[in-house]
């Protein structure tokens, strides 16, 4: 019986990896423009880190984490908590008042696998720690919008504010009264949430529950003066930067640490409306985890969904073309090709060759499959004459090339600009 990958865990095959690298490279380029530095974080953390930050009553902590119970360690379900832990542990707040950090890597949640959502999934997580200015919030959304624009992905931005500990209690009381009037009609999860975290009811994916809360009170009607002013700065800044958005009073986050600004970038290109980027403010999280009072904001993008979108569009070819395929024919040709291939690689060309002594026809097929720009044909006769045949695979033109160091340098010089 063949052993297969676990349900919700996917092999990323070579032809897909190149496309992933394209997305990651584009992300790094955009992040560099916005002065972000990369941080690399461990996959395993103490379970307490996520219980304290995400919230013990959240679905993630209650049902979705991969935890080694005997060791009390957990495979990270998201990156923000780990990044904040590192920020505190290494005193990054001392080195620079405002830290702009990002990380790219795998996360783990025991969810029901579906299109674009797996149990091991990959995220680009982007965080700014040390500023509470609403202009930073808008800048983060502008960064994400520019990234999607560069990739050619169609998205829409939805925006909300979750208030703060000062203004949320009054809203919570009004929301609780509303939900209790609908208590018997809610799903089992939402009936439990009414008592533990009523705000999460607004985020329920059950269609009936979503219909029931359509007339629920809005947090936007209960914002304190400070939160209202902050939200005005965010909205005005987005308009100043030319970033379109719509308000969504029902948008909440599935993690307890969020406050004030919350946002999502949505696409309809995956069928049903789906979030490809989500984030918001978490001004109390650093202090909650034992650090100094530090405001923060961040977002995460799911790489699986981005790659899926690009594959559906068919606009990006994930395979990286080969500069040159060296076809060595015969014993002498094969030996010469082996040494030459290594020399050309040292000079900066991507080169492949056949080591199995296959026929010329077979090797030309390999060159085609590798999308080689050129093929260099070297047989025993070519070695004796110190000359080989260079074929342009696009135009099918051929030229003779002397197998001497000076001529090889000329070949390298002519091929490199054609990449």
């Amino acid at each position: 019986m063949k052993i297969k990958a676990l349900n919700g865990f996917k092999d990323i095959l070579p032809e897909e990896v190149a496309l992933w690298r394209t997305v990651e490279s584009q992300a790094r380029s955009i992040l560099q423009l916005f002065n972000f530095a990369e941080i690399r974080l461990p996959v395993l953390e103490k379970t307490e880190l996520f219980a304290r930050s995400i919230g013990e009553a959240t679905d993630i902590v209650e049902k979705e984490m991969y935890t080694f119970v005997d060791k009390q360690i957990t495979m990270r379900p998201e990156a923000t908590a780990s990044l904040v832990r590192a920020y505190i542990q290494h005193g990054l707040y001392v080195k620079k008042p405002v830290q702009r950090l990002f990380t790219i890597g795998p996360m783990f949640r025991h969810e029901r696998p579906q299109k674009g959502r797996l149990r091991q999934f990959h995220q680009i997580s982007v965080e700014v720690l040390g500023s509470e200015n609403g202009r930073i919030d808008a800048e983060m959304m502008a960064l994400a919008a520019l990234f999607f624009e560069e990739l050619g992905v169609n998205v829409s931005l939805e925006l909300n504010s979750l208030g703060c500990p000062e203004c949320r209690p009054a809203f919570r009381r009004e929301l609780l009264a509303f939900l209790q009037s609908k208590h018997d009609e809610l799903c089992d999860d939402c009936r439990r949430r009414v008592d533990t975290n009523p705000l999460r009811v607004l985020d329920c994916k059950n269609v009936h529950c979503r219909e029931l809360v359509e007339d629920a009170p809005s947090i936007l009607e209960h914002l304190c003066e400070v939160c209202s002013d902050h939200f005005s700065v965010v909205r005005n800044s987005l308009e100043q930067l030319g970033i379109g958005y719509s308000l969504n009073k029902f948008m909440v986050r599935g993690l307890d640490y969020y406050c004030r600004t919350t946002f999502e970038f949505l696409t309809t290109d995956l069928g049903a409306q789906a979030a490809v980027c989500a984030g918001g403010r978490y001004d109390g999280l650093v202090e909650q985890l034992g650090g100094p009072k530090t405001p923060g904001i961040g977002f995460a993008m799911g790489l699986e969904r981005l790659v899926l979108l690009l594959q559906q569009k068919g606009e990006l070819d994930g395979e990286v073309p080969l500069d040159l395929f060296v076809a060595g024919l015969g014993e002498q040709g094969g030996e010469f090709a082996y040494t030459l291939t290594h020399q050309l690689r040292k000079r900066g060309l991507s080169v492949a060759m056949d080591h199995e002594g296959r026929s010329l026809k077979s090797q030309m097929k390999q060159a085609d499959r590798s999308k080689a720009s050129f093929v260099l044909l070297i047989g025993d006769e070519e070695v004796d004459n110190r000359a080989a045949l260079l074929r342009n695979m696009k135009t099918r033109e051929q030229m003779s090339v002397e197998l001497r160091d000076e001529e090889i340098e000329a070949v390298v010089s002519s091929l490199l600009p054609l990449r």
Side-chain angles (χ1 to χ4, degrees), residues 150-381:
E150 290 293 317
L151 287 181
V153 173
N154 298 315
V155 294
S156 59
L157 172 62
E158 293 192 350
L159 182 67
N160 194 21
S161 175
L162 299 178
C164 70
E166 296 297 321
C167 54
R168 206 179 291 175
F171 167 66
R172 189 180 187 279
R173 287 193 296 271
E174 188 173 330
L175 177 63
L176 193 56
F178 175 86
L179 295 176
Q180 286 173 340
S181 70
K182 311 281 186 181
H183 187 274
D184 293 342
E185 300 177 72
L186 296 171
C187 70
D188 291 340
D189 281 340
C190 284
R191 282 199 291 269
R192 174 177 52 79
R193 289 169 182 154
V194 168
D195 297 320
T196 58
N197 191 347
L199 197 64
R200 291 294 319 286
V201 178
L202 301 177
D203 194 38
C204 182
K205 300 302 183 287
N206 183 294
V207 176
H208 182 59
C209 288
R210 294 186 76 86
E211 292 174 351
L212 288 174
V213 300
E214 280 185 0
D215 298 323
S218 169
I219 181 64
L220 296 178
E221 299 163 358
H222 294 78
L223 296 181
C224 65
E225 185 176 355
V226 176
C227 285
S228 180
D229 289 345
H230 181 273
F231 199 46
S232 293
V233 172
V234 174
R235 297 179 65 180
N236 290 337
S237 299
L238 285 171
E239 290 163 11
Q240 184 178 344
L241 297 177
I243 309 297
Y245 67 90
S246 60
L247 293 178
N248 179 357
K249 70 174 186 177
F250 296 115
M251 187 199 309
V252 298
R253 299 258 58 84
L255 308 114
D256 283 356
Y257 53 64
Y258 281 110
C259 65
R260 290 188 179 169
T261 306
T262 182
F263 60 91
E264 288 185 353
F265 282 88
L266 306 172
T267 182
T268 56
D269 290 346
L270 290 174
Q273 193 177 61
V276 289
C277 172
R281 277 210 161 265
Y282 46 85
D283 290 346
L285 182 57
V286 176
E287 191 175 10
Q288 183 181 329
L289 292 177
K293 185 175 176 61
T294 307
I297 182 170
F299 66 75
M301 296 179 178
L303 280 171
E304 277 79 4
R305 288 187 176 181
L306 287 175
V307 170
L308 186 58
L309 280 167
L310 296 178
Q311 286 175 329
Q312 288 183 177
K313 287 167 65 68
E315 294 183 3
L316 285 179
D317 186 354
E319 291 188 43
V320 179
L322 192 68
D323 289 326
L324 179 68
F325 187 94
V326 180
L329 304 167
E331 186 175 346
Q332 284 182 283
E335 287 293 326
F336 194 95
Y338 182 66
T339 304
L340 179 62
T341 294
H342 184 63
Q343 291 174 346
L344 292 173
R345 287 168 177 163
K346 288 172 67 176
R347 287 167 167 81
L349 290 177
S350 59
V351 187
M353 69 166 288
D354 172 69
H355 293 283
E356 310 306 320
R358 294 184 175 90
S359 67
L360 175 60
K361 182 178 179 180
S362 177
Q363 292 193 50
M364 294 302 291
K365 286 182 178 179
Q366 289 184 61
D368 269 330
R369 284 195 293 269
S370 300
K371 298 188 176 180
S373 299
F374 292 84
V375 173
L376 189 65
L377 304 168
I378 304 175
D380 293 346
E381 185 177 337

Side-chain angles (χ1 to χ4, degrees), residues 4-74:
K4 295 183 178 181
L6 294 170
N7 189 27
F9 292 75
K10 180 182 180 297
D11 299 310
I12 303 172
L13 301 179
E15 59 267 24
E16 298 174 294
V17 169
L19 184 54
W20 279 67
R21 291 178 63 184
T22 298
V23 175
E24 292 169 10
S25 176
Q26 185 66 63
R28 285 188 165 91
S29 296
I30 297 291
L31 287 161
Q32 186 175 9
L33 295 179
F34 284 75
N35 194 31
F36 280 83
E38 184 171 5
I39 183 171
R40 300 195 179 189
L41 304 165
V43 169
L44 287 174
E45 296 274 9
K46 291 182 179 179
T47 304
E48 180 188 8
L49 173 66
F50 303 114
R52 285 173 58 185
S53 61
I54 297 173
E56 293 187 5
T58 60
D59 285 350
I60 294 174
V61 173
E62 284 188 338
K63 299 184 292 186
E64 297 173 359
M65 294 201 312
Y66 285 94
T67 298
F68 298 86
V69 179
D70 58 331
K71 302 291 186 182
Q72 283 301 293
I73 55 177
T74 295

